[in-house]
Amino acid sequence: MLSDTLADAKAEGRAALIAYLPAGFPTVDGGIEAIKAVIEGGADIVEVGLPHSDPVLDGPVIQTADDIALRGGVRIADVMRTVREAFEATGKPILVMTYWNPIDRYGVERFTAELAEAGGAGCILPDLPVQESALWREHAQKHGLATVFVVAPSSKDARLAQITEAGSGFVYAASLMGVTGTRESVGAQAHDLVERTRATGTGLPVCVGLGVSNATQAAEVAGFADGVIVGSAFVKRMLDAPDDAAGVEAVRELAGELAKGVRRQA
């Protein structure tokens, strides 16, 4: 289903819109409602974050949301419930984005079996080295789950080839737009990373997470990537909302704006 969704977007001549929201934020029920809202607003795919106490790759906005979820007592069972209810309500591909340690402690076989049973489409594993991923990939493949690896502008071509050969579903191309360098140069850096990743001959779609926060930026990235990944902007809308209901409406509205962006392309 994940591959079909990305292929359908491509057939429409546009990039897919991929939204990220953490499970358990602001509550488990509230998080599920928010995910339904971003899909209703226009997201094609959702990444459900598994809150972690040391989210080394996440910025302060997502760290704040993770902290709220963890203080609320969120557990892996709640993440699975979030995936199940979001999938049953929408029929859209729902992935889990998680660091490796929680899976390792929970058990790879147990995690993959439960995620597949919940209707999950796969996992994004930002800190699992591809050379140490054989056990995960064996169980993921057995259960029909995609394994999405993350590449960065610093990744050498040989490393990109190794990652794209091992991965499935899509490749997550990470950049640092708005953090280092000017916006134009980082946009060029992301474009270059997409081209280098495609040059490995993978055939996998390449989706870009760049700190995209509005329709104009979404259109720019959609001009060269197969998917546009947006996380912090959704989380910030919820953090800034006066109450949970307003937060749900705010992310629905943002999804609608971004969905228009990926369809117009800069």
Side-chain angles (χ1 to χ4, degrees):
M1 173 184 287
L2 177 62
S3 296
D4 290 344
T5 299
L6 288 159
D8 288 348
K10 186 174 184 178
E12 292 175 21
R14 65 174 179 91
L17 175 60
I18 305 173
Y20 166 96
L21 282 168
F25 168 72
T27 62
V28 177
D29 289 343
I32 292 167
E33 290 308 308
I35 289 166
K36 292 178 188 176
V38 298
I39 291 171
E40 290 163 6
D44 300 290
I45 297 162
V46 172
E47 303 171 7
V48 175
L50 193 159
H52 193 269
S53 56
D54 185 26
V56 293
L57 298 177
D58 294 314
V61 170
I62 291 173
Q63 286 183 28
T64 300
D66 277 6
D67 187 54
I68 290 168
L70 291 166
R71 286 172 188 269
V74 72
R75 295 288 181 266
I76 287 179
D78 299 312
V79 177
M80 297 299 178
R81 182 187 148 211
T82 299
V83 171
R84 176 181 288 105
E85 294 196 14
F87 175 67
E88 288 177 353
T90 67
K92 296 290 187 179
I94 313 291
L95 299 115
V96 169
M97 186 164 189
T98 178
Y99 297 95
W100 179 246
N101 180 259
I103 295 177
D104 194 36
R105 291 187 64 176
Y106 197 72
V108 176
E109 170 60 25
R110 181 183 176 197
F111 190 95
T112 51
E114 290 184 9
L115 181 56
E117 190 273 329
C123 252
I124 301 164
L125 301 159
D127 67 340
L128 178 64
V130 67
Q131 64 269 26
E132 296 174 21
S133 67
L135 177 67
W136 163 266
R137 286 187 287 126
E138 176 193 335
H139 288 292
Q141 191 169 9
K142 182 167 77 172
H143 292 291
L145 299 170
T147 298
V148 179
F149 289 113
V150 178
V151 298
S154 58
S155 301
K156 305 296 186 193
D157 289 351
R159 177 80 174 159
L160 289 177
Q162 188 182 22
I163 290 170
T164 57
E165 186 179 358
S168 55
F170 64 91
V171 179
Y172 188 124
S175 191
L176 298 169
M177 187 163 81
V179 177
T180 57
T182 65
R183 186 173 172 279
E184 289 77 15
S185 67
V186 179
Q189 195 175 34
H191 193 174
D192 175 65
L193 176 59
V194 170
E195 293 303 312
R196 290 197 298 121
T197 303
R198 286 181 176 148
T200 65
T202 168
L204 286 177
V206 184
C207 303
V208 174
L210 283 162
V212 172
S213 61
N214 60 50
T216 301
Q217 291 170 329
E220 180 187 359
V221 175
F224 60 81
D226 298 296
V228 179
I229 302 167
V230 181
S232 294
F234 283 114
V235 175
K236 190 172 188 307
R237 289 279 180 111
M238 293 184 70
L239 287 170
D240 290 347
D243 56 54
D244 293 355
V248 168
E249 288 312 308
V251 295
R252 189 196 313 273
E253 182 182 332
L254 177 59
E257 294 166 11
L258 293 165
K260 288 176 184 172
V262 298
R263 284 163 172 80
R264 79 167 185 251
Q265 299 187 15

